[in-house]
Amino acid sequence: ASFVAMYHETALWKQWHPIVQGSGAIELWPRRPYHNLWHVPFKVFMQSEIELVEERMFFIRDRGAFVMHLDGKPPQSEMWKRYPPPKGYKAMPGANRTRLVSSVQKHTTAFTLTVTVNGEVALPGFVVRFIVGWFLPEVVRRMLRAGAACLKSDGPHS
């Protein structure tokens, strides 16, 4: 439940996502329970960019399963014409695609997470090493810390 709460409360993303700017995702539609559209502002190597992300969530309650799809829209997507980047940001040059499946069991929770990034240029090796060596482990650390805080009665999601 804490993982779902962290993604649902977009204003608190800065607590666990190391490159998200401001208060996190900017909702472009009125909030819906299972389908949303966001601008996600971030800063990488002193450059402010924004990603246009469509979120879909699915719950299989009797199995304790949660599925989330986050589909970043590439710069050539027609959706950018309707939802252009805000002033001071440029559209992310690629597209993120994230798939998460979690299954809650009696004493454990299993997660499977796949992130695919497609772009028009290949990332240099040092950038890939940075992402794998620091960025992803840091996101996981912050998510675990924030997830534990979600379970506290005085936590940010209470």
Side-chain angles (χ1 to χ4, degrees), residues 7-28:
Y7 261 94
H8 186 72
E9 296 192 34
T10 54
L12 297 174
W13 280 16
K14 63 182 176 245
Q15 294 187 4
W16 61 266
H17 202 301
I19 64 171
V20 165
Q21 285 189 310
S23 294
I26 302 161
E27 296 175 356
L28 300 173

Side-chain angles (χ1 to χ4, degrees), residues 2-157:
S2 61
F3 183 85
V4 176
M6 286 190 305
Y7 261 94
H8 186 72
E9 296 192 34
T10 54
L12 297 174
W13 280 16
K14 63 182 176 245
Q15 294 187 4
W16 61 266
H17 202 301
I19 64 171
V20 165
Q21 285 189 310
S23 294
I26 302 161
E27 296 175 356
L28 300 173
W29 293 339
R31 175 62 71 122
R32 301 176 183 170
Y34 306 114
H35 185 205
N36 292 291
L37 187 68
W38 305 321
H39 271 152
V40 180
F42 59 92
K43 188 174 223 169
V44 179
F45 301 123
M46 306 303 287
Q47 191 164 24
S48 294
E49 295 181 349
I50 200 148
E51 185 177 16
L52 181 58
V53 180
E54 187 172 8
E55 174 216 45
R56 292 184 184 271
M57 294 188 295
F58 311 90
F59 294 91
I60 306 169
R61 287 173 174 70
D62 61 333
R63 301 280 184 202
F66 169 66
V67 178
M68 181 176 65
H69 291 183
L70 298 174
D71 288 313
K73 303 302 177 187
Q76 63 273 22
S77 169
E78 289 293 315
M79 291 186 79
W80 280 106
K81 291 179 183 171
R82 187 165 180 194
Y83 303 101
K87 187 177 179 180
Y89 290 93
K90 70 176 201 167
M92 182 178 154
N96 264 329
R97 183 175 166 191
T98 302
R99 301 290 184 256
L100 175 121
V101 176
S102 69
S103 177
V104 179
Q105 296 145 15
K106 186 174 183 177
H107 298 290
T108 61
T109 299
F111 279 96
T112 300
L113 178 68
T114 303
V115 179
T116 306
V117 179
N118 294 315
E120 296 185 13
V121 295
L123 294 175
F126 77 93
V127 173
V128 174
R129 285 189 296 280
F130 168 77
I131 291 169
V132 173
W134 180 81
F135 178 73
L136 291 176
E138 184 65 18
V139 167
V140 170
R141 277 190 290 276
R142 289 180 184 203
M143 287 181 90
L144 289 171
R145 199 172 326 136
C150 289
L151 301 174
K152 295 179 179 178
S153 62
D154 62 344
H157 297 275

